[in-house]
């Protein structure tokens, strides 16, 4: 049995782990069968097969178990053609990590013979790949489940699965069990590679299958992926050990574990061979990469230096933590080449007191010093960030500190959020004493400032020539193409559709708040 899997507890006795009778509050639950570490219960007239269950306490433990790297992945022989003539639909919520997980699930489904469909009414299997970082992200999923109930009634053979970060939450599994009994599968972030087996179990047993590993499993290499477009995401590490008090990610994604550098480099080289123009290296705390290696001294800075030698036009990364942004990484990024100037550096708050309550483990002064180092070492660096307003206890003075830090750094863009408590995190136990109307007003003031800085950042581009990766036609005008600069600014310009997928030179002629306009320089493109 792979690490992370464990036998479910005895529902009736509560021995061996969490007491499921209290957890799901099903007093009439009866054990139907127990075999191969799986227990089937009869609950409210439906059979439920529990392979493993979410457990915050288990997920928080950071044991010293070795994480194996497994290179042999195969679809079960009996499932290789199971999806032939059938269609799948996946809705993805949340971050790039979730998007990448969706690419993996698409790859496995298509190896099983399934075909993608944009219309969920035609689908034979629907998966909701969920996000748990904000309360409104969860609300969207539950709203979608409500819409899917009628479709499930119309098509009883439809297989409906919930996966991703929400599945790792104890309360979410409880809610799905009690209110959305038409769901067929619930699985987590650590066992995505088990999708073919879970489909088999759900279909042939006709039971709700729950398999959520609270402790992370091994690193599975060579999983099939279906990538589309010009840009590719590459996971270089999984999990997070920071335990910021507001964040659920360390529970839903597990402890930090890095892929071997040779595997990452081989994957990026293959993407270059396939013609991808841009690669984003992903990790919940991407610049902690390599810190868990015990046999080699190889950090994120080393990996980025090796990326410079790969023939691919652009390399990005997300998301960096200020504590792990060291001088070596700044030195490597300063070499330029295919390493872009855009750096996403979440600050969350400009107040040292609030940062301490968040357990960010840096001060306002340390963050600003890091920004100064980056701007000195990386020519034309463009910074973006994440900011939370209305954290428990945040005063008006502390919020003003955030505004002043935003002005001092000069971010070109920021993802801004109103604080919402996440069950199971330390901050959820804090008194949420900032009134909702105050939170909303602060968010509006912050967003107004960010808009102004974005506009000023765009205006600095006027008259300059920018390298643009052309991604497609504008949604509103087929004669207008849209693409992004190295520092991730959106550019609109007129040009032939044949330019889609290429790098072109565009002279910037007009600026808006969130995008810029320009003229395509055909002669410059010909020279390139």
């Amino acid at each position: 049995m792979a690490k992370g899997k464990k036998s479910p507890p005895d529902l009736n006795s509560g021995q061996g782990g969490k007491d499921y009778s209290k957890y799901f509050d099903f007093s009439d639950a009866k054990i139907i069968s127990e075999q191969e570490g799986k227990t089937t219960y009869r609950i409210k007239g439906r059979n439920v097969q529990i392979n493993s269950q979410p457990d915050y306490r288990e997920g928080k433990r950071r044991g010293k178990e070795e994480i194996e790297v497994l290179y042999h992945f195969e679809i079960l022989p009996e499932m290789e053609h199971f999806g032939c003539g059938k269609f799948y639909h996946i809705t993805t919520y949340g971050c790039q990590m979730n998007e990448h997980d969706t690419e993996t699930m698409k790859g496995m489904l298509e190896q099983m013979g399934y075909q993608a469909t944009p219309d969920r009414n035609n689908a034979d299997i629907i998966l909701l790949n969920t996000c748990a970082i904000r309360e409104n992200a969860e609300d969207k999923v539950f709203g979608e489940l409500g819409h899917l109930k009628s479709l499930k009634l119309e098509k009883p053979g439809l297989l409906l699965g919930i996966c991703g970060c929400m599945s790792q939450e104890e309360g979410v599994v409880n809610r799905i069990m009690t209110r959305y009994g038409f769901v067929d599968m619930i699985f987590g972030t650590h066992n995505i590679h088990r999708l073919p087996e879970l489909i088999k179990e759900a279909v042939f047993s006709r039971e709700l299958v729950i398999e959520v590993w609270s402790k992370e499993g091994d690193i599975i290499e060579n999983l099939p992926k279906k990538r589309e477009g010009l840009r590719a995401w590459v996971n270089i590490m999984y999990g997070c050990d920071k335990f910021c008090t507001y964040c659920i990610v360390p529970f839903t994604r597990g402890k930090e574990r890095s892929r071997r550098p040779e595997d990452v480099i081989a994957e990026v080289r293959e993407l270059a061979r396939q013609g991808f123009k841009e690669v984003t290296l992903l990790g919940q705390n991407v610049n902690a990469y390599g810190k868990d290696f015990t046999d080699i001294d190889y950090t994120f800075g080393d990996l980025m230096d090796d990326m410079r030698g790969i023939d691919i036009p652009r390399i990005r990364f997300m998301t960096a933590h200020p504590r792990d942004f060291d001088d070596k990484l700044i030195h490597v990024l300063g070499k330029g080449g295919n390493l872009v100037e855009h750096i996403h550096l979440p600050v969350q708050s400009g107040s040292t007191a609030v940062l301490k309550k968040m357990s960010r483990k840096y001060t306002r002064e340390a963050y600003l010093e890091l920004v100064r180092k980056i701007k000195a070492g990386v020519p034309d660096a463009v910074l973006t960030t994440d900011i939370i307003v209305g954290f428990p206890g945040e005063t008006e003075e502390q919020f003003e500190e955030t505004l002043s830090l935003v002005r001092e750094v000069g971010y070109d863009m920021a993802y801004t959020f109103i604080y919402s408590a996440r069950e199971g995190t330390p901050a959820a136990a804090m008194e949420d004493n900032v009134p909702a109307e105050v939170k909303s007003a602060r968010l509006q003031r912050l967003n107004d400032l960010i808009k102004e800085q974005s506009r000023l950042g765009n205006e600095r581009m006027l008259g300059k020539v920018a390298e643009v990766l052309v991604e497609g036609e504008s949604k509103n005008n087929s004669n207008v193409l849209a693409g992004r600069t190295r520092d991730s600014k959106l550019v609109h310009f007129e040009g032939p559709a044949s330019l889609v997928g290429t790098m072109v030179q565009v002279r910037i002629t007009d600026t808006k708040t969130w995008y810029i306009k320009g003229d395509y320089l055909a002669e410059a493109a010909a020279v390139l």
Side-chain angles (χ1 to χ4, degrees), residues 455 458-459 461-462 508-513 515-517:
R455 183 184 61 80
N458 287 344
E459 285 182 355
M461 297 286 292
L462 272 174
I508 307 305
T509 59
D510 189 18
T511 63
K512 306 296 182 182
T513 299
Y515 70 98
I516 51 186
K517 295 181 177 181

Side-chain angles (χ1 to χ4, degrees), residues 207-346:
E207 298 167 347
L208 166 58
V209 175
I210 300 174
E211 182 173 298
V212 181
W213 298 353
S214 294
K215 296 298 287 293
E216 59 281 337
D218 300 317
I219 294 176
I220 314 296
E221 294 288 349
N222 300 323
L223 288 170
K225 298 177 180 67
K226 183 184 180 183
R227 291 182 167 105
E228 298 173 297
L230 310 169
R231 299 182 292 173
W233 291 306
V234 174
N235 272 112
I236 67 169
M237 65 177 302
Y238 305 91
C240 181
D241 287 346
K242 286 295 184 284
F243 283 101
C244 301
T245 57
Y246 55 83
C247 187
I248 199 70
V249 166
F251 302 96
T252 62
R253 290 283 178 177
K255 70 180 180 183
E256 291 175 352
R257 54 217 192 272
S258 305
R259 292 177 62 196
R260 301 298 298 184
E262 59 269 23
D263 296 328
V264 175
I265 292 169
E267 183 173 355
V268 176
R269 281 178 175 159
E270 174 59 20
L271 292 172
R273 189 192 66 79
Q274 293 175 16
F276 283 92
K277 299 294 192 298
E278 181 175 302
V279 165
T280 302
L281 305 181
L282 294 179
Q284 241 69 48
N285 182 16
V286 70
N287 51 333
Y289 175 84
K291 292 191 173 183
D292 55 320
F293 291 146
T294 58
D295 59 331
I296 56 174
D297 181 13
Y298 189 92
T299 66
F300 186 54
D302 295 312
L303 180 65
M304 291 300 286
D305 213 11
D306 284 337
M307 291 293 109
R308 295 182 65 252
I310 299 178
D311 187 19
I312 201 162
R314 294 179 182 176
I315 302 287
R316 302 183 184 277
F317 59 90
M318 288 189 74
T319 292
H321 193 290
R323 278 200 70 205
D324 294 319
F325 215 108
D326 56 27
D327 292 344
K328 181 174 185 177
L329 178 57
I330 294 173
H331 172 71
V332 171
L333 295 177
K335 296 179 181 180
N338 59 355
L339 306 184
V340 301
E341 298 77 28
H342 171 225
I343 297 171
H344 190 69
L345 193 67

